[in-house]
Amino acid sequence: MAKAIQLKGRVLIHFDITAETGLHIGGTESGIEIGGVDKTVIRDPLTQRPYIPGSSLRGKMRSLLEKYKGLKQNQRIGQGYIHSCDDPTAYPNCDVCNIFGVPGERGFSTPTRLIVRDVFMSDESAKQLENADTDLPFTEVKTEVSIDRVTSAANPRQMERVPAGTRFDNAELVYSIYEGDGCDARKDVARLKVLVEGLQLLLDDYLGGLGSRGSGKIGISNIKVEWRGKDYAAQAQVLGSFNTVAEFAQNLAEIQNTVLSQLN
Ligand SMILES: [Zn+2]
């Protein structure tokens, strides 16, 4: 049967990210050691600057929300399991699957609501790191020593990290509101709360690898929330600017009311 789903508008959430501790988001394991480093970070091939892939932000928020909501981990992805609704009657009320999508396309799934863009290092941080003469371009190398519990042999490994204090500018979350054929625009607006919960969970957790050993604490600041609705070509309407996720959360009900008032 043909589906008719209408895009009612999009909420655009922009913010800056600061690495509050060293940040390690792994690059592809090429098997080639770079400067003697075992674990390298992902870099923009054009500028060589490390960046935060949207998929890392998105994947971490999803996994934290799945645990927060106690969702069944039923679909194997690589080494681990994630949650993915396989029951068409449960799906319409599953915030995580509606926001982040259902891997491996199910017949009953509606469009994924959330797009997360890659986040790039600020020019100011890049300049500072260039001047700081870091171990590798824009990064520090940290030696981690693990002890083999059987042989007691020390096993040092070189980890590349983006230094604490580095800023990544203008992260962007694009959240779509849909109506029709399994989509309920009012529910999508209500789900903005889940998105904000995901950001707050992320602040208390870590991004990238080596989190239990101190890496990956991030800060979120300079939050700007906008709405693009009926007249999609017009300039986006600013819904609010906030310094912290907590402040964003405090003002969320008002933002939701404004969006609801623009749906018809
Ligand atoms: Zn689900």
Side-chain angles (χ1 to χ4, degrees), residues 3-239:
K3 293 190 173 190
I5 294 176
Q6 188 189 8
L7 174 68
K8 302 296 279 187
R10 284 181 166 138
V11 178
L12 313 170
I13 303 169
H14 295 266
F15 51 88
D16 296 338
I17 295 177
T18 306
E20 294 192 349
T21 63
L23 178 66
H24 174 90
I25 298 179
T28 44
E29 300 293 332
S30 62
I32 303 163
E33 288 191 11
I34 298 161
V37 175
D38 305 304
K39 290 230 168 251
T40 56
V41 301
I42 191 160
R43 288 171 187 274
D44 176 344
L46 289 180
T47 62
Q48 293 307 310
R49 295 178 186 174
Y51 71 102
I52 300 173
S55 57
S56 295
L57 262 182
R58 187 180 208 290
K60 189 68 188 196
M61 281 170 72
R62 179 181 189 133
S63 108
L64 291 169
L65 282 165
E66 286 177 2
K67 288 191 188 79
Y68 177 59
K69 293 183 172 288
L71 299 177
K72 190 174 60 166
Q73 305 288 296
N74 59 328
Q75 178 151 339
R76 198 180 178 97
I77 295 275
Q79 307 265 337
Y81 284 86
I82 68 160
H83 162 78
S84 164
C85 274
D86 47 17
D87 175 358
T89 60
Y91 173 74
N93 292 313
C94 180
D95 297 328
V96 167
C97 285
N98 277 276
I99 294 172
F100 294 92
V102 186
E105 283 303 304
R106 311 249 195 244
F108 55 79
S109 64
T110 53
T112 297
R113 306 300 195 276
L114 181 66
I115 297 168
V116 183
R117 313 256 191 230
D118 293 344
V119 198
F120 297 98
M121 188 182 284
S122 74
D123 288 338
E124 196 191 346
S125 280
K127 217 163 276 168
Q128 283 171 347
L129 290 170
E130 267 168 355
N131 293 335
D133 194 21
T134 48
D135 302 322
L136 286 172
F138 310 107
T139 61
E140 62 187 5
V141 175
K142 187 166 180 275
T143 304
E144 292 268 335
V145 181
S146 62
I147 306 292
D148 186 308
R149 280 164 204 268
V150 178
T151 65
S152 297
N155 182 22
R157 276 155 61 98
Q158 305 270 304
M159 309 289 198
E160 185 183 21
R161 301 197 311 178
V162 173
T166 305
R167 280 178 79 97
F168 296 84
D169 278 354
N170 206 21
E172 186 181 29
L173 311 183
V174 181
Y175 180 77
S176 301
I177 311 274
Y178 289 109
E179 182 67 53
D181 201 26
C183 297
D184 178 341
R186 301 185 74 83
K187 261 191 198 171
D188 282 348
V189 175
R191 282 185 181 120
L192 278 166
K193 170 122 195 292
V194 181
L195 210 54
V196 178
E197 285 168 346
L199 290 174
Q200 188 63 56
L201 285 163
L202 183 58
L203 288 180
D204 295 337
D205 209 271
Y206 63 88
L207 192 60
L210 313 171
S212 60
R213 281 170 281 168
S215 294
K217 178 174 167 60
I218 61 153
I220 291 176
S221 60
N222 197 17
I223 303 167
K224 190 175 172 192
V225 186
E226 295 175 313
W227 166 251
R228 225 190 267 284
K230 250 175 297 183
D231 184 358
Y232 208 84
Q235 198 160 12
Q237 178 190 346
V238 177
L239 298 177

